Amino acid sequence: MIKNKKTIKHGKLLLVALINVGLFYSCVPTKDLKEVNTNMPSKYVDQATDSTNSAQLKWKDFFKDENLTKLIDTALTNNQELRIMMQQIDVAQNEVKARKGEYLPFITYGAGAEVEKVGEYTRNGAVEKNLEVKEGEEFPEPLTDYSAGLFATWELDVWKKLRNSKKAAALEYLSTIEGKNFMVTRLIAEIANSYYELIALDNQLAFIEQNLELQGNALKMVRLQKEAARATELAVKRFEAEVLKNQSHKFEVQQEIVEMENKLNFLIGRQPQSITRNSDGFIETEMDTIYAGLPSQLLLNRPDIKQAEYELEAAKLNIKVARANFYPTIGLKAGLGLQAFKPKYLTETPASLIYSAVGDIVGPLINRNAIKADYNTANSKQIQAVYEYEKAILSGYIEVVNQLSKMENLKQSYALKESQVKALTESIDLSTRLFQSARIEYIEVLLTQREALESKMELVETKKDQLMARVNVYQALGGGWN
């Protein structure tokens, strides 16, 4: 009968425990996760359905200019923003280690010494007065206490709160790596674009100097025409003004060159100095073919999209972590050591041996508003992460479409500007000969020279825009970080 009563009692306790667990589960709120939309078109507008993708090229293979690759190499080592990002990666990695350690047992050691004098007319004092430590030896007064031991605490991760927290930290770490990769792609693109802009300024400066030489010759011719009474002082002054205007423009371009060089020096993390470059043949630079591949490849190639994906997965795990806070925490505590009122007794075992083992279950019962708020916050952040992921996908796709269209339109524009420059360059000599034979006015010579210079400057700008568009397509496709 006794056994039966004990069995019934244990059964009741088990039933109560199961009911409590069921109540905990029933009281925990649940929300559906928002699903992400990753649908993308099967191909880009006006592009063939081909998986060949230029983003898979390493940046050292994509850029052919040796001076440019040296600048990028230096920047990847010295750029301050990139160094800051590397420290953020270290922080994220340490966070993973910290989270991993949280679900393992914590073992500590400790030692202590204590002295205590209690009143004789107290319970403890009366007991010590009438008891002996051992026969013939009274309790020392004051009473000292020496102890040393090992202590362990362990939270049983039955709800996977700590493991999910560690996995979320690992995903955040991967996210920071993708963030670093995205920064690398932007840094490389910015250096390449600034380098092409610097070379374009060199070419514009060269065209200004060529035009100044032509205008100088035209000014001499007008002065001779005036001496021969075939031109007026007005013509001389107009030509002088045009020369002065272009000389002023020359200094403006020179200042832009200095600023662009220093921008590159800042990006590569060094003091201002001259940038090694070869500006010859800039106009004749051929545009290599860019292969856009398939839109779906952006999900694999673009670091910012992959970063948003990791952030989304981490947000999902954080919801599980927040939900686990509603469940009771199960902990174990244990200690093992030695304790005695005199140091010489510490080594006398088992008399001085002490040990303890405690298990406890603690769970939220009343006023769970803070836990509910954390859970709702985690859900809101998951929804936010979904929108961030979808935004990254849409932004990446639009960037590629825009840059591909820009490359095609610049190609057509460059061909027309090239013909315009050729026609205006030929018209300079023609206008000069017609003016010498008094068949046209001086103003037509001025306008022809001005339009020829402007067309050459625009041609350089268009070539620069072509090269920059090529770089931007490469970046938009997800290339440059490898």
Side-chain angles (χ1 to χ4, degrees):
M1 287 296 292
I2 295 174
K3 288 184 178 179
N4 290 338
K5 287 182 179 179
K6 287 184 177 179
T7 303
I8 293 171
K9 183 178 180 181
H10 292 161
K12 288 181 178 179
L13 290 174
L14 180 61
L15 179 62
V16 170
L18 291 174
I19 291 173
N20 287 334
V21 171
L23 287 173
F24 276 122
Y25 271 99
S26 63
C27 294
V28 174
T30 302
K31 292 185 178 181
D32 294 331
L33 292 177
K34 181 173 178 58
E35 297 298 326
V36 65
N37 179 17
T38 59
N39 293 330
M40 301 185 75
S42 59
K43 67 172 187 175
Y44 296 107
V45 180
D46 299 329
Q47 297 288 320
T49 305
D50 188 355
S51 61
T52 306
N53 197 317
S54 294
Q56 296 169 353
L57 283 174
K58 294 183 177 180
W59 66 263
K60 286 189 176 181
D61 297 325
F62 183 79
F63 297 106
K64 308 298 182 183
D65 191 319
E66 184 179 349
N67 294 319
L68 175 56
T69 56
K70 287 180 179 178
L71 290 174
I72 295 174
D73 254 334
T74 306
L76 295 180
T77 303
N78 297 337
N79 181 265
Q80 285 85 358
E81 288 191 21
L82 199 54
R83 286 179 171 181
I84 293 171
M85 176 58 79
M86 295 303 296
Q87 295 307 310
Q88 291 180 358
I89 290 176
D90 288 343
V91 170
Q93 190 174 27
N94 291 329
E95 184 66 21
V96 175
K97 293 178 181 178
R99 299 278 182 89
K100 183 178 180 180
E102 285 180 356
Y103 67 83
L104 298 175
F106 287 88
I107 300 177
T108 59
Y109 64 89
E114 180 183 353
V115 61
E116 182 183 22
K117 169 66 173 70
V118 296
E120 185 175 336
Y121 299 109
T122 63
R123 182 177 60 181
N124 291 339
V127 169
E128 292 176 5
K129 189 71 176 176
N130 293 285
L131 287 179
E132 295 179 337
V133 175
K134 54 185 177 181
E135 188 175 352
E137 184 176 353
E138 296 180 350
F139 273 89
E141 187 177 341
L143 182 64
T144 55
D145 184 22
Y146 301 93
S147 62
L150 298 175
F151 311 95
T153 59
W154 187 21
E155 181 180 342
L156 300 181
D157 193 25
V158 294
W159 317 116
K160 296 185 178 180
K161 178 178 72 174
L162 300 178
R163 276 172 286 182
N164 285 331
S165 179
K166 183 269 244 186
K167 290 178 182 178
L171 289 169
E172 292 286 355
Y173 166 68
L174 294 175
S175 172
T176 57
I177 291 178
E178 294 301 334
K180 184 268 293 182
N181 292 338
F182 187 52
M183 178 179 285
V184 168
T185 65
R186 289 184 296 167
L187 177 62
I188 290 175
E190 188 172 3
I191 290 174
N193 288 337
S194 299
Y195 181 78
Y196 292 140
E197 192 162 349
L198 179 59
I199 293 178
L201 288 170
D202 288 341
N203 279 263
Q204 288 181 342
L205 183 61
F207 282 136
I208 290 173
E209 290 173 344
Q210 291 174 13
N211 203 61
L212 281 171
E213 184 178 354
L214 289 173
Q215 289 177 338
N217 293 333
L219 180 57
K220 290 178 184 178
M221 178 188 68
V222 171
R223 283 172 176 165
L224 291 174
Q225 293 275 28
K226 180 195 171 188
E227 291 175 2
R230 296 178 60 185
T232 64
E233 181 66 16
L234 177 60
V236 174
K237 293 300 181 183
R238 291 291 297 270
F239 272 92
E240 286 179 351
E242 193 69 17
V243 170
L244 293 171
K245 172 188 171 184
N246 286 315
Q247 286 176 339
S248 174
H249 191 196
K250 176 182 175 180
F251 288 111
E252 292 173 359
V253 174
Q254 286 176 340
Q255 178 60 28
E256 290 180 22
I257 288 174
V258 171
E259 292 179 2
M260 191 54 60
E261 283 187 317
N262 287 336
K263 178 182 178 181
L264 279 166
N265 284 316
F266 175 78
L267 290 173
I268 62 180
R270 70 184 186 188
Q271 296 294 325
Q273 56 188 276
S274 178
I275 299 294
T276 303
R277 59 192 182 275
N278 183 11
S279 301
D280 297 335
F282 176 73
I283 293 296
E284 292 78 23
T285 304
E286 294 292 333
M287 296 293 106
D288 295 338
T289 303
I290 290 284
Y291 298 99
L294 304 175
S296 58
Q297 291 175 318
L298 292 176
L299 302 179
L300 301 175
N301 294 334
R302 278 190 63 122
D304 58 328
I305 294 178
K306 292 167 70 176
Q307 181 184 17
E309 183 181 8
Y310 285 130
E311 293 284 357
L312 175 58
E313 294 303 316
K316 291 179 181 178
L317 289 173
N318 285 332
I319 291 178
K320 294 182 179 180
V321 172
R323 194 167 187 268
N325 289 329
F326 288 97
Y327 305 141
T329 300
I330 302 175
L332 297 176
K333 296 178 183 179
L336 176 65
L338 301 170
Q339 186 175 21
F341 60 83
K342 286 186 179 180
K344 68 178 183 179
Y345 293 139
L346 285 175
T347 57
E348 293 188 10
T349 56
S352 61
L353 182 68
I354 58 171
Y355 60 85
S356 64
V358 180
D360 55 25
I361 299 178
V362 180
L365 183 61
I366 299 175
N367 193 4
R368 302 188 299 171
N369 291 335
I371 302 175
K372 290 179 181 178
D374 288 341
Y375 179 70
N376 291 333
T377 297
N379 277 277
S380 297
K381 287 185 176 180
Q382 189 269 337
I383 296 173
Q384 184 182 24
V386 168
Y387 291 138
E388 290 287 352
Y389 187 33
E390 292 177 346
K391 185 181 78 172
I393 294 173
L394 181 60
S395 175
Y397 178 74
I398 290 175
E399 280 182 28
V400 174
V401 171
N402 287 344
Q403 294 301 327
L404 288 173
S405 175
K406 188 174 184 179
M407 281 193 68
E408 182 60 30
N409 288 324
L410 285 171
K411 179 181 177 182
Q412 303 298 329
S413 176
Y414 183 82
L416 296 172
K417 288 185 183 297
E418 198 173 28
S419 300
Q420 180 190 14
V421 168
K422 182 179 179 182
L424 287 171
T425 302
E426 292 174 353
S427 67
I428 291 176
D429 183 57
L430 181 60
S431 65
T432 302
R433 286 189 280 109
L434 289 173
F435 177 68
Q436 286 176 329
S437 61
R439 297 178 63 183
I440 61 172
E441 295 293 328
Y442 70 90
I443 194 65
E444 294 187 55
V445 179
L446 273 176
L447 291 174
T448 301
Q449 290 180 348
R450 183 182 299 171
E451 290 171 357
L453 176 61
E454 289 174 354
S455 67
K456 290 177 181 178
M457 302 288 270
E458 289 175 2
L459 185 67
V460 171
E461 282 288 325
T462 305
K463 176 59 70 174
K464 178 199 73 176
D465 290 342
Q466 278 188 296
L467 289 167
M468 291 173 68
R470 179 174 175 270
V471 173
N472 293 336
V473 169
Y474 179 60
Q475 181 197 3
L477 291 172
W481 57 269
N482 51 349

